[in-house]
Amino acid sequence: MGKITGFLEFDRKVEEYAPVEDRVKNYKEFTLPMKEKELKDQGARCMDCGIPFCHSGCPLGNLIPDFNDAVYLGKWEKAAEILHSTNNFPEFTGRLCPAPCEEACVLGINEDPVTIENIEKNIVETAFKKGWVVAEPPASRTGKTVAVIGSGPAGLAAAQQLNRAGHLVTLFERDEKVGGLLRYGIPDFKMEKNIIDRRVKILEEEGIIIKTGVHVGVDVLATEIKDQFDAVLLSGGATVRRGLPIEGADLKGVVQAMDFLKQNNKRVDGITDLGEEIKATGKNVVVIGGGDTGSDCIGTSIRHGATSVSNFEILGKPPVGRPEDQPWPFWPMRLRTSSSHKEGVERFFSISTKKFIGDKNGNLKGLITSEVEWITQPGQRPILKEVPGTEKEWKCELALLAMGFTGSEMTIAEQLGLEADARTNIKASEADYKTNVPGVFVAGDQRRGQSLIVWAISEGRQAAYHVDTYLMGTSYLPLKGEGDLPRV
Ligand SMILES: Cc1cc2nc3c(=O)[nH]c(=O)nc-3n(C[C@H](O)[C@H](O)[C@H](O)COP(=O)(O)OP(=O)(O)OC[C@H]3O[C@@H](n4cnc5c(N)ncnc54)[C@H](O)[C@@H]3O)c2cc1C
Ligand code: SF4
């Protein structure tokens, strides 16, 4: 701990945003950089706790007090080394993570927590700027081959770890470019895609073979892949979208959020062959679903120039602060307001969409909702009840369904004879990531269901350790939180 009184001297400060009227004119990231002195002061706020609860909050077990201290001391290269020892891609989590570490930070008990995520982003961006992030190919090869199927954060992290262990890794991706939801779900205003490209270039320089446009299970049988490789890791995500099977759901203008977001990300990437255009321009947009996907639809619709954007959430409005029954250091269910929410949306809670209304040409022109309440009884699941007399009609020409994902696709599982749970997550325990078929492993959303980037990276790293152990009998890859670096 460099500065013992840091947390008493400095208030929390994070990067500010460009004004709304400027940022909604384009799809670029809009955070404003902080001065080095300000970042060092933020690092100095860390108390280097005897029991750093931030570690337990972080699914990667990031060595947070160590890199905070290095930043305070201006040892940026050391900070980058510490950060990369537990996290392959801090540039993704530093921008996109909801930061469970900050909710668990001890300072957060009676003060604002340390700005861990912002420090993380600035460490890795400094490292890229200074040229410290370079390819580190393995010193020797084991002669073993591994297929990683799916190139989201789980697949990318696993591929890099397995390559470091000396295995020859082939990463299969059915889309044109790698990145999974980082590339085709999350909009550029949250993370510009050159951030993925510069990292993928390093992975290729390290020797990972990347095959895009290959849909495993369709273009090539999963059984063929299994025969050709010594081990297979599945990281195909939870891609089955939840629908809203109500009257009018087939009207033109009722669109799955992922179709809308994926098309827009491709448009921003300069792709012109996009099929039927889905745009919010000049429309009254209703985004159904109050999570990350819904928030991304809001920011995108506003950038399209929607006439109005409303957001419906079926759950009740959570409190702004930490609820009493969810004490520190647990992750609290409180109202989250994203940068997109601040760009001009009206949010409605405890509201259920009952029916879509179309015109005579089959185009969406409105929808009907009613208010709902949740009846809770001790020991029982909450029951949803419609509030009588609250029906309301809304004008709406574009409804975006952002209600999450129900599980993973079953094609590969059927071809390989893999067991799945009732939600179609492929079965494998967190203890070893092994499926019921020897030599086949699974990580990320395809195993745990719809989750977070930080969990995907964590699972990719953990699974890589177990694939390596399966191939070699032992593994020198680090497990969760095992940074192999001395303290600064
Ligand atoms: C719109 C949206 C916004 C989000 N925002 C955030 C956020 O801000 N912060 C956060 O932490 N999390 C966010 N998430 C969640 C996060 O993106 C996911 O939890 C994470 O990407 C899961 O990583 P993954 O590697 O398991 O799978 P994915 O990222 O889903 O990647 C799976 C990849 O596998 C490929 N694939 C699937 N099947 C095959 C096959 N048979 N052959 C070849 N390739 C295949 C897919 O094309 C895809 O590229 C968001 C999710 C969405 C949908
Ligand atoms: S819990 Fe907070 S104050 Fe304590 S070591 Fe972690 S980041 Fe620093």
Side-chain angles (χ1 to χ4, degrees):
M1 183 178 183
K3 190 162 181 69
I4 291 171
T5 53
F7 67 99
L8 297 171
E9 283 178 45
F10 307 114
D11 289 336
R12 177 181 162 103
K13 186 173 191 315
V14 283
E15 287 175 349
E16 287 176 10
Y17 297 153
V20 171
E21 60 273 21
D22 294 341
R23 70 192 198 224
V24 299
K25 289 184 187 140
N26 58 60
Y27 292 90
K28 298 214 174 301
E29 290 181 22
F30 47 77
T31 49
L32 304 173
M34 281 167 68
K35 295 193 180 80
E36 187 179 0
K37 163 79 171 73
E38 292 174 316
L39 291 163
K40 285 172 151 184
D41 290 349
Q42 292 305 306
R45 290 187 76 234
C46 176
M47 304 186 291
D48 193 12
C49 303
I51 300 175
F53 277 83
C54 51
H55 279 202
S56 50
C58 175
L60 286 158
N62 275 349
L63 304 173
I64 293 164
D66 302 65
F67 65 63
N68 282 340
D69 193 34
V71 165
Y72 164 64
L73 296 171
K75 297 183 177 180
W76 290 92
E77 192 166 6
K78 188 74 205 168
E81 220 183 307
I82 296 166
L83 184 55
H84 278 104
S85 75
T86 55
N87 185 355
N88 301 64
F89 313 122
E91 66 274 30
F92 304 158
T93 45
R95 284 175 168 76
L96 300 165
C97 193
C101 55
E102 293 188 16
E103 295 288 3
C105 172
V106 176
L107 199 52
I109 298 175
N110 61 347
E111 288 279 343
D112 289 332
V114 175
T115 59
I116 302 167
E117 186 186 12
N118 195 38
I119 288 176
E120 178 179 353
K121 177 185 156 190
N122 279 281
I123 294 171
V124 64
E125 287 309 318
T126 304
F128 269 105
K129 241 180 253 150
K130 299 267 185 191
W132 299 329
V133 187
V134 290
E136 293 172 37
S140 60
R141 291 282 172 191
T142 60
K144 307 278 186 192
T145 58
V146 184
V148 177
I149 303 172
S151 71
L156 290 173
Q160 187 169 46
Q161 292 299 94
L162 287 163
N163 187 63
R164 282 180 178 159
H167 310 306
L168 192 61
V169 179
T170 307
L171 181 60
F172 293 96
E173 171 54 54
R174 64 183 171 194
D175 276 321
E176 300 89 332
K177 291 191 176 180
V178 299
L181 290 172
L182 299 171
R183 169 87 56 188
Y184 293 118
I186 290 161
D188 284 58
F189 56 79
K190 270 169 66 181
M191 186 174 77
E192 289 174 26
K193 304 312 166 202
N194 64 322
I195 303 295
I196 308 173
D197 297 337
R198 70 181 178 188
R199 186 58 84 167
V200 169
K201 186 168 169 278
I202 290 172
L203 300 190
E204 286 183 308
E205 285 166 11
E206 287 178 347
I208 295 169
I209 301 161
I210 297 181
K211 295 194 174 179
T212 53
V214 183
H215 191 168
V216 177
V218 176
D219 300 327
V220 50
L221 288 173
T223 43
E224 282 176 49
I225 299 277
K226 177 156 174 10
D227 290 345
Q228 285 166 19
F229 290 85
D230 295 312
V232 177
L233 175 72
L234 305 177
S235 46
T239 44
V240 181
R241 302 125 180 222
R242 183 170 283 116
L244 186 57
I246 57 171
E247 192 181 329
D250 54 354
L251 287 167
K252 197 162 173 278
V254 181
V255 174
Q256 271 288 348
M258 273 307 297
D259 291 335
F260 176 70
L261 294 172
K262 187 169 185 176
Q263 185 184 88
N264 199 67
N265 283 11
K266 287 186 170 186
R267 189 180 291 119
V268 174
D269 194 22
I271 297 167
T272 47
D273 181 15
L274 295 169
E276 197 170 337
E277 185 173 76
I278 316 167
K279 286 201 87 173
T281 319
K283 293 181 182 160
N284 296 292
V285 179
V286 172
V287 178
I288 302 176
D292 274 339
T293 308
S295 163
D296 292 346
C297 288
I298 292 165
T300 305
S301 298
I302 289 168
R303 280 162 182 73
H304 281 186
T307 302
S308 71
V309 186
S310 307
N311 186 205
F312 294 173
E313 169 57 56
I314 199 163
L315 297 174
K317 187 174 182 178
V320 176
R322 187 185 272 279
E324 268 181 22
D325 61 346
Q326 296 158 40
W328 175 90
F330 295 107
W331 176 256
M333 298 305 286
R334 57 183 174 82
L335 185 70
R336 313 244 161 215
T337 301
S338 71
S339 55
S340 295
H341 290 135
K342 293 179 183 158
E343 290 171 356
V345 63
E346 244 194 300
R347 298 168 83 181
F348 299 88
F349 294 86
S350 303
I351 186 165
S352 169
T353 308
K354 294 176 67 179
K355 183 177 158 185
F356 294 111
I357 311 162
D359 64 14
K360 58 179 183 334
N361 298 318
N363 296 311
L364 179 70
K365 66 168 194 181
L367 49 79
I368 303 221
T369 61
S370 56
E371 290 171 25
V372 292
E373 58 182 344
W374 291 88
I375 315 290
T376 47
Q377 278 174 350
Q380 286 181 21
R381 289 170 73 100
I383 301 166
L384 184 69
K385 208 171 145 256
E386 203 176 304
V387 181
T390 57
E391 264 197 14
K392 183 172 170 183
E393 188 172 331
W394 306 68
K395 217 173 153 196
C396 168
E397 298 85 36
L398 180 63
L400 297 169
L401 308 182
M403 297 170 304
F405 300 83
T406 55
S408 67
E409 294 162 40
M410 283 292 98
T411 317
I412 292 181
E414 280 159 15
Q415 289 175 7
L416 292 177
L418 303 178
E419 288 172 5
D421 67 16
R423 295 177 157 196
T424 67
N425 300 322
I426 305 297
K427 270 193 195 171
S429 108
E430 237 173 298
D432 58 15
Y433 294 83
K434 285 179 177 164
T435 68
N436 58 307
V437 175
V440 181
F441 298 75
V442 60
D445 282 9
Q446 196 166 15
R447 190 195 75 83
R448 62 185 293 118
Q450 169 189 1
S451 184
L452 294 174
I453 294 157
V454 67
W455 272 113
I457 299 173
S458 171
E459 293 224 347
R461 289 173 65 87
Q462 301 286 108
Y465 171 91
H466 292 288
V467 173
D468 188 32
T469 306
Y470 165 80
L471 292 171
M472 307 303 288
T474 184
S475 177
Y476 298 104
L477 291 173
L479 274 170
K480 180 175 169 176
E482 277 183 5
D484 47 357
L485 293 154
R487 287 170 75 93
V488 195

